[in-house]
Amino acid sequence: MTGPEPARTPEAAAARTGDDVAYRPEAVDDLVARIVEEEDAELRRGFASGAEFAVTRGASSREHMLHRLECASIESHLDRSSKWTEPHRRRLASNPAYRLPMPTLITRQAARDLSGVRSCRMCWPNPTGGEPRPLRRLSARSLGPQHVGHVLARPDGEPLGTIVRWGARTGADLFGVEHDEIEIVTSMGTETVGPDDHVIIWDLPTDEQAIRRKAQLVQRFADHGDGVAR
């Protein structure tokens, strides 16, 4: 005669494969919830330590990349619940030790000491201050509302100020011949170019976008004293 079957832990239940997993999805859900809580706690600790950057990791070291924390491309990496999609849950069900790669949150000094890690071209982390700015070349006539707030630059990347507004107007040369031109007003002055001339902007998020994302990070990682991420 045998005794009662011992109670199974969520890990043990999740370790069962095949049809058994379909009958006990709550076991996998409980395990995912605990993992996400641990992952969020690790991210909050990194943020509280003064982290300004994040390193995302791929299958090989060549895929490791440095980002600013407010970079839009790492938003999905920081939202740990959304990372645990159904395919990953199935792998977890068959192997409770399975985990997803976590971004590592680091300080500016730690970012300066990194080697062999590529820099994200979307956010230009530039922890050492010596990396070339990502530039974008476009025709003046293609300027649109989405470019307000971006930095207008010379071909070498030197800033001409943040774009405030622009507009088409009719100008005249030294001989009084009229021609179309575009006036670009920046925080540092005014630039006048032809509609078909090319202009250079810093291909980076605007200050407004960066500030908004930074505020979202503070809200995400704020310590509410109950150990739960909001």
Side-chain angles (χ1 to χ4, degrees):
M1 181 174 180
T2 60
E5 182 180 353
R8 290 182 296 175
T9 63
E11 290 89 342
R16 299 177 70 87
T17 59
D19 293 338
D20 283 346
V21 174
Y23 291 119
R24 293 187 58 81
E26 68 279 3
V28 179
D29 290 343
D30 290 345
L31 183 54
V32 168
R34 190 168 75 246
I35 292 171
V36 169
E37 184 176 349
E38 293 169 354
E39 292 176 337
D40 283 343
E42 182 178 339
L43 291 174
R44 287 199 302 275
R45 285 192 295 271
F47 189 75
S49 71
E52 298 180 52
F53 302 90
V55 177
T56 54
R57 306 183 184 281
S60 69
S61 60
R62 290 187 299 177
E63 297 178 60
H64 296 178
M65 185 170 291
L66 179 68
H67 309 260
R68 292 180 184 271
L69 266 187
E70 60 269 24
C71 180
S73 69
I74 66 167
E75 174 62 27
S76 64
H77 293 274
L78 300 178
D79 185 358
R80 301 309 299 172
S81 294
S82 69
K83 298 297 289 184
W84 285 96
T85 57
E86 193 57 36
H88 291 304
R89 286 170 178 263
R90 286 197 295 268
R91 287 194 62 178
L92 183 67
S94 62
N95 177 14
Y98 174 68
R99 295 295 184 271
L100 297 175
M102 279 277 292
T104 303
L105 274 54
I106 59 176
T107 63
R108 179 173 294 274
Q109 184 57 53
R112 287 173 177 160
D113 295 338
L114 284 177
S115 61
V117 176
R118 294 184 299 144
S119 289
C120 173
R121 289 190 59 81
M122 181 180 293
C123 66
W124 189 54
N126 192 29
T128 63
E131 297 179 10
R133 299 178 182 89
L135 304 176
R136 182 181 174 193
R137 185 171 179 261
L138 66 159
S139 67
R141 69 168 69 251
S142 66
L143 285 170
Q146 70 273 20
H147 298 118
V148 171
H150 286 272
V151 174
L152 186 70
R154 295 189 174 92
D156 63 0
E158 283 302 304
L160 294 170
T162 301
I163 297 174
V164 177
R165 64 180 184 275
W166 77 99
R169 70 177 194 179
T170 300
D173 60 21
L174 295 175
F175 302 99
V177 178
E178 293 186 345
H179 57 269
D180 294 333
E181 59 187 25
I182 292 179
E183 182 181 76
I184 307 171
V185 179
T186 75
S187 58
M188 294 171 58
T190 301
E191 301 291 324
T192 302
V193 296
D196 295 322
D197 290 343
H198 285 89
V199 295
I200 306 294
I201 63 172
W202 288 4
D203 196 13
L204 295 167
T206 64
D207 289 344
E208 180 182 358
Q209 291 170 330
I211 291 171
R212 182 175 66 251
R213 288 177 182 142
K214 197 74 170 182
Q216 291 170 344
L217 284 172
V218 172
Q219 184 177 15
R220 177 191 294 274
F221 294 126
D223 184 358
H224 296 272
D226 56 5
V228 179
R230 304 298 186 190

